[in-house]
Amino acid sequence: MGEQPIFSTRAHVFQIDPNTKKNWVPTSKHAVTVSYFYDSTRNVYRIISLDGSKAIINSTITPNMTFTKTSQKFGQWADSRANTVYGLGFSSEHHLSKFAEKFQEFKEAARIAKEKSHEKMELTSTPSQESAGGDIQSPLTPESINGTDDERAMPEVTQNSEPRAEPTQNALPFTHSSTISKHWEAELATLKGNNAKLTAALLESTANVKQWKQQLAAYQEEAERLHKRVTELECVSSQANAVHTHKTELNQTIQELETTLKKKEEEIEGLKQEIENARELQAQRDSLTQKLQEVEIRNKDLEGQLSDLEQRLEKSQNEQEAFRNNLKTLLEILDGKIFELTELRDNLAKLIECS
């Protein structure tokens, strides 16, 4: 199924200042979605958060990570691969506790998956060593002697990535022990071994396809040679029964070769179909990613329109309230004038009666 989200929440995202190693730098202007993802093909858990189309968190959970609550609504964890410390500010303590529980749960799952992977590798390597009759030594390469660029650069990253604690920010020191370094070196060696196995399997598959093609060509040449041989035997042989028997055997051989040829062709077609399916899945993934970006852009536009409509509604309500106040004032003045006119009418009536 690939990588799928398994838990999501909303929080404000921060990162430790790479210069001071103690101040928090906000990476999102407002609360964004922070999700746990699980990759079933690689058995890997990741924390991912997007601000628009920009990934502000992309952290792979390892057994050595620790999520720490530094306040009622704030938590943090260190990612040695990204060489940073991530901080999350939640709207409530409940959301923080839920996120911390999921972190611990997926961290334990990552540990179990890693142990199972090591056990499988040990079980796989043991029979191969016994069948070889001794230890199999890997070829020496410049990378195995001197280490890769990532391995050579790892001690420098460890030395320069220790953040100083900030009392006011409650940030934990970003330190790396020798145990963690050894763990990452072991994991890097494991990844190298897996990569080498995958490369060998790919080369073996390619060699098998080439070998099958060569076998197909050889079978076709053999079939043509046998057909020619049958023709020669029919022309030269004077013993009809022996020729017929030999011909029958040759025909059976040809049929067997043709059956084998069809099977090899079907296998090649199956490999081609698998490659085509992989390309289609990649195209679908790219299409879905583009659609997701378009939906996010549309969502931003709708949020802007909603904010504009709210401002207009508030302005209209204020204008209606002012109009009501003015109308009320006019009604009060009109009532006063009507009262004065009534008194004037009564006075005029009295004057007329008196006169």
Side-chain angles (χ1 to χ4, degrees):
M1 295 295 292
E3 196 170 27
Q4 298 291 334
I6 52 179
F7 177 78
S8 297
T9 185
R10 292 185 67 83
H12 291 271
V13 181
F14 300 85
Q15 282 191 20
I16 202 73
D17 189 344
N19 297 323
T20 63
K21 300 295 183 182
K22 61 181 182 179
N23 296 326
W24 289 111
V25 178
T27 56
S28 63
K29 296 180 181 179
H30 49 79
V32 296
T33 301
V34 182
S35 302
Y36 286 98
F37 278 76
Y38 175 62
D39 189 345
S40 58
T41 58
R42 298 187 300 159
N43 210 3
V44 171
Y45 294 87
R46 289 199 301 164
I47 302 175
I48 297 177
S49 179
L50 299 176
D51 187 5
S53 59
K54 177 183 178 183
I56 55 178
I57 297 180
N58 186 2
S59 178
T60 301
I61 299 177
T62 63
N64 293 327
M65 283 186 176
T66 301
F67 184 82
T68 305
K69 299 178 183 178
T70 57
S71 67
Q72 292 183 350
K73 298 181 180 180
F74 193 87
Q76 66 183 46
W77 76 96
D79 189 340
S80 58
R81 291 183 176 180
N83 192 21
T84 188
V85 180
Y86 293 105
L88 297 178
F90 296 88
S91 59
S92 66
E93 186 176 359
H94 171 73
H95 289 87
L96 173 60
S97 300
K98 190 67 175 176
F99 187 89
E101 291 175 2
K102 292 295 182 181
F103 191 98
Q104 186 65 27
E105 176 184 345
F106 299 145
K107 170 186 170 182
E108 183 67 17
R111 183 187 66 79
I112 295 173
K114 184 178 179 182
E115 290 178 354
K116 289 182 179 179
S117 176
H118 283 310
E119 290 176 359
K120 289 181 180 178
M121 291 180 63
E122 290 175 359
L123 292 174
T124 304
S125 60
T126 302
S128 62
Q129 291 176 357
E130 291 177 354
S131 62
D135 296 336
I136 299 176
Q137 297 181 354
S138 61
L140 294 178
T141 61
E143 288 79 3
S144 62
I145 297 174
N146 301 324
T148 62
D149 294 338
D150 294 338
E151 290 176 328
R152 291 195 293 269
M154 188 177 294
E156 298 178 0
V157 173
T158 305
Q159 294 175 359
N160 298 329
S161 61
E162 296 181 358
R164 294 174 294 179
E166 174 65 19
T168 58
Q169 300 288 340
N170 294 323
L172 293 178
F174 183 46
T175 60
H176 299 275
S177 64
S178 60
T179 304
I180 296 177
S181 298
K182 291 179 180 179
H183 164 72
W184 290 121
E185 290 175 359
E187 185 171 352
L188 183 60
T190 302
L191 292 175
K192 281 185 178 180
N194 293 337
N195 189 22
K197 290 180 180 179
L198 291 173
T199 304
L202 181 60
L203 293 175
E204 183 179 356
S205 299
T206 305
N208 288 337
V209 172
K210 292 181 179 178
Q211 184 178 1
W212 292 340
K213 290 182 178 179
Q214 292 175 356
Q215 289 178 356
L216 289 176
Y219 291 153
Q220 290 175 350
E221 292 177 359
E222 181 68 15
E224 292 177 0
R225 188 185 67 79
L226 290 174
H227 280 298
K228 292 179 180 179
R229 181 62 178 168
V230 170
T231 304
E232 292 175 357
L233 289 173
E234 288 177 349
C235 295
V236 175
S237 179
S238 60
Q239 299 178 355
N241 293 331
V243 170
H244 181 72
T245 303
H246 199 178
K247 180 179 179 181
T248 303
E249 294 176 355
L250 291 176
N251 287 332
Q252 291 178 353
T253 304
I254 291 172
Q255 289 178 357
E256 292 176 357
L257 291 174
E258 289 178 349
T259 302
T260 305
L261 180 63
K262 288 181 180 180
K263 290 181 179 179
K264 297 299 181 181
E265 289 178 349
E266 290 175 356
E267 291 178 358
I268 292 176
E269 289 297 328
L271 291 174
K272 290 181 179 178
Q273 187 65 30
E274 290 179 0
I275 295 173
E276 189 67 24
N277 292 336
R279 291 177 180 174
E280 291 178 358
L281 290 175
Q282 183 65 30
Q284 291 177 1
R285 181 182 177 183
D286 295 340
S287 177
L288 290 175
T289 303
Q290 184 177 1
K291 289 181 180 179
L292 177 60
Q293 293 176 354
E294 292 175 356
V295 169
E296 290 176 348
I297 295 172
R298 179 61 178 170
N299 189 22
K300 284 186 177 181
D301 293 339
L302 291 175
E303 288 178 354
Q305 293 177 6
L306 179 60
S307 177
D308 187 23
L309 290 174
E310 289 176 350
Q311 293 178 358
R312 291 182 182 178
L313 178 60
E314 184 179 359
K315 183 178 179 182
S316 176
Q317 289 176 348
N318 293 333
E319 290 177 353
Q320 289 180 0
E321 186 67 25
F323 179 73
R324 289 193 189 98
N325 293 333
N326 293 333
L327 185 60
K328 186 177 180 181
T329 303
L330 290 175
L331 289 174
E332 291 176 354
I333 295 173
L334 183 59
D335 289 339
K337 296 297 181 181
I338 292 172
F339 181 75
E340 291 177 358
L341 289 173
T342 304
E343 288 183 347
L344 180 59
R345 183 178 64 80
D346 293 339
N347 291 332
L348 290 175
K350 290 178 180 180
L351 288 175
I352 292 171
E353 289 175 359
C354 292
S355 62

